[in-house]
Amino acid sequence: MRNTMQALVKTAPAPELELRYEPVPEIGPDDVLIRIKKTGICGTDIHIWNWDDWAAKTVPTPLITGHEFAGEIVELGRNVEALSIGQRVSGEGHLIGKTSRQSRAGKFHLDPETRGIGVNEQGAFAEYLRLPAFNVVPLPDAVDDDIGAILDPLGNAVHTALSFDLVGEDVLITGAGPIGIMAAAVARHVGARNVVITDINPDRLSLAAKVADVVPVNVAEEDLNDVTFRLKLKEGFDVGLEMSGNQRALDQMVEALVMGGQIALLGIPPGKSPVDWSRIVFKAITIKGVYGREIFETWYKMIAMLENGLNVRDVITHRFPVSEFRAGFDAMLSGSSGKVVLDWT
Ligand code: ZN
């Protein structure tokens, strides 16, 4: 095998990324080496591309970025069993410790020592990725490499959507980015009655309507109360999935929920924001923060649903060979794209 590979690298603490040659990673006894086929560009990668305050605080340089991937195992560490060369895989990009209370209780996604590939550790925007075998998730034939490359954000959507029982419920999703749109598709798939998704970006709302059987609402043009009335929701929505990190969206959600409603929060506000807690108390609302994916229950459910007809393919709006990665980042930076997938083959 070659000993160098192409990789998208944050070479210095400054904006953009560089496509350059890096050594192929050497694997340890408990790792596998994955030949990357497709990768997804995440909002996190845009923070890193832009080199905002969060990125400057968090990301060491030089670093190979990227954490959404699908590929094929090309090398196995000597302790690795139950995986095989040539196997098609994706994987969990959160590398966990084994000593914390939560980790030892089997709640791996709550381990405080979690480190992210492409954020804290060498990432997946490369021809080869070293990954602990523990983190590997084999892909069935029903999940092709394009979908395999977006399982990380689909997992965020599934984790958020499955936070509460949605069967027969009326669900409000604020924020029609790719994760909000995929959460809408999941909510419908598991049996929600009405799914309303709000945004102020018409491109994203029309993408939402294309991907999932949902009611898109532009809250810059339409009052959510009118939508509640139109859908004949007497008391409001039962469950809210907040995907935007926008204060006004959360306010609207709290207003639009039934007494005793439930909210899962995935959107990250840019800083501290004023919350009308008395409203939340008097409406007896339950709020849950959602981080990452449940390892590996979210992966299990997500792949089972994909095998059972969950279709999120149209959320991928752009595909580029990695040599045209700039076009991919431009599409993401436009704010109107769905998922952007880079091809490394
Ligand atoms: Zn991501």
Side-chain angles (χ1 to χ4, degrees), residues 79-103:
N79 295 342
V80 177
E81 294 166 355
L83 293 170
S84 54
I85 304 276
Q87 197 166 18
R88 295 181 53 251
V89 297
S90 181
E92 172 57 56
H94 284 173
L95 311 181
I96 53 147
K98 303 246 165 72
T99 57
S100 72
R101 176 183 176 182
Q102 298 288 21
S103 194

Side-chain angles (χ1 to χ4, degrees), residues 2-281:
R2 292 179 294 142
N3 48 22
T4 61
M5 63 176 187
Q6 290 200 88
L8 273 173
V9 184
K10 177 63 79 177
T11 54
E16 303 202 0
L17 294 170
E18 191 182 324
L19 185 62
R20 72 176 191 187
Y21 280 91
E22 290 284 317
V24 172
E26 284 180 24
I27 63 169
D30 299 311
D31 300 330
V32 301
L33 189 67
I34 297 168
R35 169 72 172 97
I36 298 295
K37 302 279 180 66
K38 302 275 176 73
T39 56
I41 303 178
C42 182
T44 301
D45 301 318
I46 296 303
H47 290 289
I48 296 172
W49 174 276
N50 289 336
W51 202 246
D52 62 12
D53 291 345
W54 170 84
K57 261 196 323 235
T58 312
V59 179
T61 55
L63 187 84
I64 301 172
T65 56
H67 57 271
E68 304 179 357
F69 67 93
E72 180 185 315
I73 295 177
V74 291
E75 195 184 338
L76 298 169
R78 74 181 130 77
N79 295 342
V80 177
E81 294 166 355
L83 293 170
S84 54
I85 304 276
Q87 197 166 18
R88 295 181 53 251
V89 297
S90 181
E92 172 57 56
H94 284 173
L95 311 181
I96 53 147
K98 303 246 165 72
T99 57
S100 72
R101 176 183 176 182
Q102 298 288 21
S103 194
R104 289 175 69 81
K107 300 172 193 167
F108 299 129
H109 71 294
L110 298 179
D111 178 51
E113 289 154 31
T114 297
R115 297 178 63 76
I117 66 167
V119 177
N120 317 107
E121 305 278 344
Q122 298 292 7
F125 286 167
E127 288 177 275
Y128 295 93
L129 170 70
R130 172 184 59 200
L131 196 69
F134 176 80
N135 286 59
V136 170
V137 176
L139 296 178
D141 292 344
V143 179
D144 65 21
D145 290 342
D146 277 8
I147 299 298
I150 63 166
L151 291 181
D152 172 291
L154 177 57
N156 292 134
V158 168
H159 187 184
T160 310
L162 300 189
S163 289
F164 301 111
D165 180 10
L166 299 187
V167 178
E169 305 289 1
D170 297 317
V171 177
L172 174 64
I173 300 174
T174 46
I179 296 179
I181 292 173
M182 290 191 284
V186 172
R188 289 294 290 165
H189 186 80
V190 302
R193 179 170 57 179
N194 292 293
V195 178
V196 170
I197 188 164
T198 65
D199 207 294
I200 54 170
N201 181 328
D203 296 331
R204 293 194 141 170
L205 288 166
S206 54
L207 182 62
K210 187 178 169 201
V211 174
D213 176 20
V214 294
V215 179
V217 173
N218 189 333
V219 281
E221 293 168 358
E222 192 174 10
D223 191 327
L224 207 46
N225 285 322
D226 298 339
V227 178
T228 317
F229 183 76
R230 174 153 60 86
L231 295 175
K232 300 190 174 66
L233 309 184
K234 281 207 187 71
E235 295 164 37
F237 293 89
D238 305 294
V239 176
L241 311 178
E242 208 304 293
M243 303 295 198
S244 70
N246 182 297
Q247 175 64 41
R248 288 196 55 197
L250 181 59
D251 288 345
Q252 286 168 352
M253 179 173 278
V254 170
E255 278 312 305
L257 243 55
V258 296
M259 287 284 295
Q262 297 166 308
I263 296 177
L265 292 177
L266 187 78
I268 301 166
K272 287 189 182 179
S273 50
V275 175
D276 188 353
W277 288 108
S278 63
R279 196 86 187 104
I280 290 165
V281 172

